[in-house]
Each structure stands twice: as C-alpha cells, then as structure tokens.
Amino acid sequence: MTMTAESLLLLTPKECGALDRRASAGISVRDLMERAGWSVARAVRRRWRPCRVLVLCGPGNNGGDGYVAARHLAAFGFAVRVAPLAPPREGSDAAWAAREWRGPLAPFTPDEVRRADLVIDGLFGAGLDRAPDERIVAMLNAARDLVAIDMLTGIDGATGAVLAELPEAALTVTFVRFKPGHFLLPGHEHLGELVCADIGMPEPLVATVGSRLWHNAPGLWTVPGMTVESHKYSRGVVSLCGGAAMPGAARLAAAGARAAGAGLVRISAGDSAALYRLGAPGLVVDSEPLAALVEDGRRKVWVCGPGLEPDEVAAALPVLLGANRTVLADAGALTWGAADLGRLHGVAAVTPHIGEFTRLFGAPGTDRVAAAREAAARIGAVVVLKGPDTIIAAPDGRAAINTHAGPALATAGSGDTLAGVIATLLAAGMPVWEACCGGVWIHGEAGLRAGDWPIVEDFDRHLGAARAEAVRRCRRPPRDGVPTRLVNRSEFM
C-alpha cells in the first residue's frame, strides 16, 4: 500500500461524526455497520483460533458493530455470547444489528467476562471523552484477552487521554481513518496492534471533512534524493552558531547535519573557533564576525541555540533574522525567547521539549495537538513539540503526530542531532513544515537502527541509511507500509 497524505490523514471523533452524517445521505448506515462488524470478526479470526468470546455492546453504533461482529464470529465457529450494557434506541441502526443477533445473551457482569477467553469491547468507541462507569472499568480489567472496536472504552479518541485505570488491549480495529488518540500517549500504549479497515466510505467524502492532522510518515512529505548532478551546494549548506561554554551541543548538531546528507556544514564560532577546529576535519569553522558571514547568499539556513548562553543568542539571533535567514531555534535560543516571546518572531521553526514548551507557551494540558497549533500560530513558526509522540504544528493549522521512534532517543544531545537533521532538509529546499516532519521521522529511524542503549554519537552512523530509507519509502513504500505495531488498512479492502 502506498502511503499518501490522504491515507495518513487522521480524523477526530467529531470529524468522524460529521463524515457519518454526510455519508448517511447516500450510503446505508447499516451497510457500513455490516462491513465494520465483518472487519472486526475477520481481524479476530486471523489472530485467534475459535474460542469462547464475549462481546460487550453499548447502546450506540459502536455496540451495533459489536452485534454484527458477534454474528460473523459465530459463523466462523467461535462460541459467542453478547453482553449488552443497555438496549439500543428503538428504530436505530444499532437496534437493527441487535435484532439480527440470534445467539445467546449474557449478563453484563465481571463473572461473565472471566468465563470468556476473549472479550470484545463494543461499548462506546473513540467518542467518549469522560471517565466510564466503574462497572465498565471492572469488566475491561477482568478480561484475559481484549479487542477494542474503534477505541478502547475510556480513552479519548481526540487526545489519547486515558480516563480510567484501563488494561492493554491486544488489538484495536478502527474504520476509514485512524484517530489522533490511536497515536497519542498515554492512550497509544493501551491499544495493542492497530488495524484500520476500509469499509467502503468514499474517499472524496472523506476529503470534504477538511482535517488538517496527519500521522507522520514518508508520503506526507518527500525527501530529496541524490542524482548524478548533485553537488555540495545543491545538497545544501547548513550553518550553526557556536558558543564558547558548551561547544559539544553545536558540534552534535553539526555532526547530525553532515551525517544526514548536508553538502557543507559550517560553524560560526568567532573568538572560540579553536574549540571547534579540534573536531572532525570535514567541518568548516569560521572566525569572522557573524555580520560578515550572513552576506554569503549560499548560507540560507542557520541553527541557533544549541550550546549557546543567553548573551550569545542575543548577539546572534537578531543578526540572522535581520539578514532574512531561515533559522531553526533550539535550546539556548528558546531559553532567551522565554523572557520575551517576541524575540523569536521571524524564526522558521522551534524545537522545544515539553519543559521548554511550557516555559515558552505554558503547560500544554491534555490536548497537546491543540496546544502546539496555538503556539505555532502565536509565533508564526513551525513548532516541533518533542517527545515519544512528537507533534509538528504549522502556523496555518497543519499538524502531524510522529510515533516512528523509540526510547533510545531519550539521551542527552539527541535534540541537538535532530536540529541538524531538520536544518539539512531545509537547506536541501524542503518547505519548513515538511522538513520538520521529515527530519523527525529520519531522526526516529536512526534511533531505531542504533540499538537499545546508544550514545548520541551513535545516531550519526545511521542517519544516512535512515534518510535513504525515507527516500525509498517516498518512491516505493514497503509492503507493510505502516508504523511499528500497525497493520496495513488495505488488509480489509
């Protein structure tokens, strides 16, 4: 399956509701419910042998999907019982699905859950944004093995917030598109394997919803590859501001840029140039005044902040912005900007971790996508809110959630390397938001390749292969075509 911006689109529960209402004008909701329940049953049959199954059904459409899944699983040879939380509203599509189920019903009790080998959660789905009843929580926690329809009950489909003490599902099956909560922490850790099934919703109709949120992966953006005509200036020049007190950070960012494919990397170090000339011979170190260096029109992209003290940022950043350079601000530049957010107006992108983000914009709360979007609009720059589920937000409202990474990236200096990778893609000519998305993915790929306990310098050895993998997936995506722990949605097409 080819990953494209359309296939990577994420829909919030509200957007899914709007899509369902539009679809109902021309598509039978019962047909969609039938396909959804069939998709759940088929996913279960592919992963479990026939066993005792209890399907928990709520009164709405999520419960309707559960009744349909129960019917198909029984036809597949599973011993199925349905435990309704409450009867569907008379005349609703869920009521039709309930009438079509002619198998046994069971009491809605933890004892019934404990008798089952597999429990299917068809209670509320992704739209529940409040804590579920304690009785429901007890039922879910009593399950030996658990499958969630759309979303595990008690996880907010929009934010990934976990609203109760919940177990981890083995499998979650959703439909049409993934929701933000499928990828955002802490909810993501409770969902197990993720499957998105095609149930026949017309793609032009999906596009009318107008979502501006994606799952980050190649296909959402395209990374420039090498050609026979490539040269160091076409690959891009990355320039960095080097400080006197902490030269290691700027050197890590420079090494990341070089390893990610920049044609030329230079550090402006002024009187501290000697500190940097002891490093890698391929790194060019400049001692001339910054005001003179920015006159070179080939040096369009600059990284300002790693290893810099506030006074060093104050001396450098206004010069870069005054010369209309594309500036990625990180680390020390964010510390300097926290005192007056207006100091950062004019930068192209900022890359804060959660602590830096809080000092700049305030605590993000449970809806970090909304917080990152608001922050990007406030400063007119792309915001890369770093974390295990990094959020990349643009001032125009576009946002992406990146889960292509592992805990190995959680080591000092990793953010400096990321700054160098993003700057490399900017220097290669990618637009700012796309460069940030691509840089985050490539950085994550390098981290996955580096093993379990790497030091930050280890990432550099894998950045070239990581970028090549991004290029390959943009041109010819792999068969699995989806992030770690996810299953290709075309499985059900």
Side-chain angles (χ1 to χ4, degrees):
M1 175 186 172
T2 301
M3 291 288 104
T4 63
E6 291 75 20
S7 64
L8 292 165
L9 194 70
L10 303 178
L11 298 180
T12 67
K14 288 184 179 179
E15 289 167 339
C16 288
L19 178 61
D20 288 344
R21 288 189 293 274
R22 295 180 187 185
S24 64
I27 304 173
S28 167
V29 175
R30 294 181 183 180
D31 285 347
L32 294 176
M33 189 172 287
E34 182 70 24
R35 295 168 194 164
W38 160 259
S39 297
V40 173
R42 188 177 183 188
V44 169
R45 184 177 68 165
R46 289 187 172 190
R47 290 159 179 82
W48 282 272
R49 293 180 178 179
C51 59
R52 293 170 299 179
V53 176
L54 182 69
V55 183
L56 308 179
C57 289
N61 284 354
N62 196 247
D65 297 339
Y67 286 110
V68 174
R71 173 159 45 85
H72 287 296
L73 284 172
F76 293 155
F78 289 76
V80 185
R81 291 158 63 88
V82 171
L85 172 65
R89 179 177 53 82
E90 190 61 37
S92 67
D93 296 299
W96 161 81
R99 286 194 302 273
E100 291 294 306
W101 168 248
R102 296 179 176 86
L105 298 177
F108 195 84
T109 66
D111 285 342
E112 290 297 324
V113 170
R114 283 187 281 267
R115 292 189 184 101
D117 301 307
L118 177 66
V119 174
I120 297 178
D121 171 15
L123 293 170
F124 290 106
L128 189 69
D129 58 1
R130 64 185 186 280
D133 184 274
E134 291 181 2
R135 181 176 55 146
I136 292 174
V137 175
M139 296 276 283
L140 297 175
N141 279 288
R144 297 181 200 173
D145 232 348
L146 187 60
V147 172
I149 299 179
D150 190 34
M151 179 69 76
L152 184 64
T153 295
I155 296 177
D156 189 326
T159 68
V162 177
L163 307 171
E165 290 293 328
L166 298 176
E168 180 178 335
L171 171 69
T172 298
V173 183
T174 192
F175 316 106
V176 185
R177 292 293 189 276
F178 288 113
K179 283 67 175 181
H182 287 127
F183 299 114
L184 291 167
L185 291 172
H188 176 69
E189 290 299 294
H190 290 264
L191 300 177
E193 185 180 8
L194 291 172
V195 171
C196 186
D198 180 8
I199 58 172
M201 186 70 74
E203 288 299 318
L205 200 60
V206 176
T208 65
V209 175
S211 176
R212 303 275 282 167
L213 181 62
W214 292 266
H215 188 230
N216 188 38
L220 178 59
W221 34 264
T222 301
V223 173
M226 284 191 290
T227 70
V228 294
E229 297 179 343
S230 296
H231 53 83
K232 64 184 178 183
Y233 291 111
S234 67
R235 287 171 58 173
V237 180
V238 173
S239 300
L240 305 99
C241 298
M246 294 178 286
R251 289 173 65 179
L252 286 171
R258 294 181 66 212
L264 179 62
V265 179
R266 309 182 69 146
I267 287 186
S268 169
D271 295 338
S272 303
L275 293 173
Y276 295 90
R277 287 178 176 146
L278 297 176
L283 177 64
V284 179
V285 181
D286 299 305
S287 58
E288 293 88 344
L290 182 60
L293 298 178
V294 295
E295 293 180 1
D296 186 343
R298 296 170 298 186
R299 302 179 68 170
K300 298 181 176 69
V301 175
W302 286 75
V303 177
C304 183
L308 297 188
E309 298 285 0
D311 60 327
E312 292 173 323
V313 177
L317 186 55
V319 174
L320 298 175
L321 297 179
N324 293 317
R325 294 297 176 249
T326 299
V327 180
L328 186 151
D330 185 33
L334 305 183
T335 300
W336 184 65
D340 178 2
L341 204 56
R343 293 172 172 177
L344 296 177
H345 287 173
V347 302
V350 296
T351 53
H353 56 61
I354 191 68
E356 292 167 332
F357 184 95
T358 299
R359 289 192 290 274
L360 284 165
F361 306 107
T366 57
D367 193 343
R368 286 176 293 112
V369 172
R373 281 171 160 158
E374 181 181 351
R378 283 179 65 186
I379 64 170
V382 172
V383 172
V384 179
L385 177 51
K386 296 183 291 192
D389 51 355
T390 294
I391 297 164
I392 308 102
D396 62 9
R398 288 176 296 164
I401 302 168
N402 185 82
T403 57
H404 188 74
L409 291 175
T411 185
S414 175
D416 301 319
T417 301
L418 173 62
V421 176
I422 294 174
T424 296
L425 300 184
L426 288 169
M430 289 182 68
V432 180
W433 183 72
E434 288 86 344
C436 290
C437 291
V440 168
W441 191 94
I442 290 170
H443 185 243
E445 174 72 11
L448 293 172
R449 290 169 179 258
D452 291 335
W453 298 102
I455 59 174
V456 65
E457 291 88 344
D458 291 341
F459 301 145
D460 298 346
R461 296 187 293 109
H462 301 281
L463 283 170
R467 178 168 174 173
E469 177 66 11
V471 171
R472 186 184 74 82
R473 293 198 189 194
C474 290
R475 293 175 176 171
R476 188 186 62 195
R479 289 184 180 180
D480 60 4
V482 288
T484 305
R485 300 180 66 196
L486 306 186
V487 173
N488 193 331
R489 63 187 293 271
S490 65
E491 176 180 35
F492 299 99
M493 294 179 69

